[in-house]
Amino acid sequence: MASVALENISKIYPGDVRAVRNIDLEIQDGEFLVLVGPSGCGKSTTLRMVAGLETISDGILKIGDRVVNEIHPKDRDIAMVFQNYALYPHMTVRQNMSFALKMRKTSKPEIEERVHWAAEMLGLNSLLERKPKALSGGQSQRVALGRAIVRKPAVFLFDEPLSNLDAKLRIETRAEIKRLHRELKTTTLYVTHDQEEAMTLGDRVVVMQDGLIRQIDTPLNIYKHPADSFVASFLGMPPMNFLKGEIILHKDQLWFAAEGVRLCLDKAPTSWLEGATQRAIVAGIRPESFSFSNNHAELEKHSLSATVQVIEPLGSTMDVYLQTSAGNSLICRTPVEQISENEKVTLYVSPQDIHLFEPDKPGNACTATKYGHSLRSLQEQLA
């Protein structure tokens, strides 16, 4: 096993197309790191540079203590699992899994031992003499995993390996990959556009956009404390609701105000920009942070009115699509409620669940760490 370090890595294609821009990233020995982001964000290009399948335009790439910029892919001690499995159709499962070992002149007894070990781990023993055309999608993906595992590399690379599977198989194979990592403890770099995969698999998650890293943290920290409105909107399903407005001082308290909406920010554990009043701001609220209960204390200060447009039952929960009087669209995920379409309702939200962002600015979350002002001190300044 080994760590992986990307130092100021860039990839520039002809025509000055910058696919990856000055990325600094370290994957710890044994860590499972996930790169996630929309199509074209540079995540697969980053993975392919680590694999040696793309040349590095600028920067230094290290695997362990070695600089590997100019080292051939086969000599980097990595194994890659592709989106399309890339199995040899004329070979059996056994031959597919042992092929790379044969190319490395590994002894026959060791090849047999490793293939048996991987097949046992992945439940492939009964499939070893089949060819790929006789396998299901899930079985093919397990063979691709087995082919990588038998090499016992320093680093595993996964390029959207579950995107060709149906929903049920994705969940099952995701659990299998997590179990394998727990047992093998091999350093892993995993690329996906699926936020659910990123949240469930990664020890840490890297959110990318336009070739840049927008945030690196544990899945839970990214979800609870997004660095900016892009990260907040990308991670979470249904996505975060956003309301454009401003911070105002009303009755010696800070409020978020938008057309038809006023939400008191008392008890919020966040600090805002100095002089934030009368300044454009975006409030973000997760769909599950809303509730329909009318039993909350100080309901009027912490609620807004909206009209139900569409209800989507999901069994124990439901997604409710609403619209405010000013035409803002909202989504609420809630336990099943006795409400109906076209009904006017009151939505409660705790101040602690309101995220504030500066509009159209990377890293635009308003946080105490960033600005160093407590809510109380700001209130005192504005009083």
Side-chain angles (χ1 to χ4, degrees):
M1 293 186 289
S3 61
V4 179
L6 290 77
E7 301 175 3
N8 205 31
I9 293 289
S10 294
K11 178 62 181 179
I12 305 171
Y13 289 107
D16 199 32
V17 177
R18 297 176 179 269
V20 176
R21 312 179 189 200
N22 307 108
I23 282 184
D24 284 305
L25 180 63
E26 184 168 358
I27 310 165
Q28 302 295 329
D29 189 1
E31 183 179 21
F32 197 121
L33 188 83
V34 178
L35 299 181
V36 67
S39 297
C41 71
K43 57 188 185 296
S44 288
T45 301
T46 301
L47 184 87
R48 290 173 64 84
M49 285 192 287
V50 175
L53 303 178
E54 290 281 359
T55 57
I56 297 170
S57 301
D58 196 15
I60 295 173
L61 174 65
K62 293 180 180 179
I63 297 178
D65 295 328
R66 291 194 305 164
V67 174
V68 298
N69 290 47
E70 305 300 328
I71 292 179
H72 194 277
K74 69 180 178 64
D75 298 320
R76 295 191 180 195
D77 198 13
I78 56 156
M80 190 163 178
V81 180
F82 296 90
Q83 179 179 346
N84 62 356
Y85 319 137
L87 302 178
Y88 297 110
H90 62 288
M91 293 184 182
T92 64
V93 168
R94 185 190 301 276
Q95 291 167 335
N96 266 284
M97 291 174 64
S98 62
F99 182 75
L101 297 178
K102 288 181 178 179
M103 293 296 98
R104 294 186 170 204
K105 310 294 185 186
T106 308
S107 67
K108 286 185 178 180
E110 186 176 353
I111 290 175
E112 191 62 31
E113 180 185 341
R114 288 200 196 183
V115 170
H116 175 74
W117 165 72
E120 188 75 28
M121 185 176 288
L122 293 165
L124 294 172
N125 282 325
S126 63
L127 307 177
L128 287 174
E129 305 311 321
R130 291 192 190 180
K131 291 186 177 179
K133 65 181 180 181
L135 301 176
S136 68
Q139 290 168 338
S140 296
Q141 187 57 269
R142 279 189 286 146
V143 174
L145 286 171
R147 185 178 55 187
I149 288 169
V150 296
R151 294 177 58 185
K152 296 185 178 179
V155 181
F156 282 133
L157 304 177
F158 290 86
D159 188 11
E160 306 208 34
L162 308 184
S163 58
N164 290 337
L165 303 180
D166 61 39
K168 182 174 182 293
L169 273 177
R170 276 203 305 272
I171 294 170
E172 292 174 357
T173 310
R174 192 171 70 207
E176 192 73 17
I177 290 172
K178 194 162 190 174
R179 179 184 66 81
L180 286 171
H181 180 259
R182 188 170 59 245
E183 292 185 16
L184 301 173
K185 296 181 173 58
T186 305
T187 306
T188 301
L189 180 59
Y190 188 105
V191 162
T192 181
H193 65 273
D194 187 318
Q195 53 163 296
E196 192 171 297
E197 282 179 35
M199 297 289 284
T200 55
L201 286 173
D203 296 325
R204 286 189 302 155
V205 173
V206 179
V207 183
M208 295 185 66
Q209 184 192 30
D210 297 333
L212 299 168
I213 292 176
R214 300 297 286 261
Q215 188 170 0
I216 308 173
D217 211 329
T218 64
L220 190 59
N221 279 343
I222 287 182
Y223 189 79
K224 288 187 172 181
H225 309 291
D228 54 39
S229 51
F230 169 77
V231 175
S233 65
F234 189 79
L235 288 184
M237 186 56 66
M240 183 179 280
N241 299 285
F242 293 102
L243 294 167
K244 294 182 179 179
E246 61 181 4
I247 301 295
I248 65 170
L249 187 66
H250 177 63
K251 295 181 180 179
D252 297 324
Q253 289 182 313
L254 290 175
W255 293 62
F256 170 77
E259 188 177 354
V261 174
R262 278 197 176 191
L263 295 169
C264 185
L265 300 173
D266 62 338
K267 302 176 185 176
T270 317
S271 300
W272 322 124
L273 285 167
E274 182 177 2
T277 56
Q278 309 301 315
R279 182 172 179 170
I281 210 85
V282 176
I285 305 170
R286 296 277 182 203
E288 66 272 19
S289 296
F290 285 121
S291 71
F292 289 94
S293 174
N294 292 322
N295 298 323
H296 296 284
E298 299 184 301
L299 179 67
E300 185 178 346
K301 295 169 63 176
H302 303 137
S303 64
L304 56 90
S305 297
T307 302
V308 177
Q309 303 290 307
V310 176
I311 298 172
E312 292 184 345
L314 300 172
S316 61
T317 62
M318 61 185 192
D319 286 348
V320 184
Y321 294 77
L322 309 104
Q323 191 171 70
T324 68
S325 59
N328 292 306
S329 296
L330 301 173
I331 306 174
C332 171
R333 174 163 286 183
T334 178
V336 174
E337 298 277 353
Q338 295 300 315
I339 58 173
S340 56
E341 294 179 356
N342 299 317
E343 180 180 349
K344 189 172 183 179
V345 296
T346 299
L347 295 173
Y348 172 85
V349 59
S350 169
Q352 287 90 334
D353 293 328
I354 300 174
H355 302 261
L356 294 188
F357 305 99
E358 295 178 84
D360 307 320
K361 183 178 177 183
N364 61 357
C366 302
T367 65
T369 301
K370 185 173 180 181
Y371 298 108
H373 294 278
S374 69
L375 182 61
R376 179 177 296 176
S377 67
L378 182 54
Q379 288 174 320
E380 289 170 354
Q381 293 174 42
L382 296 173

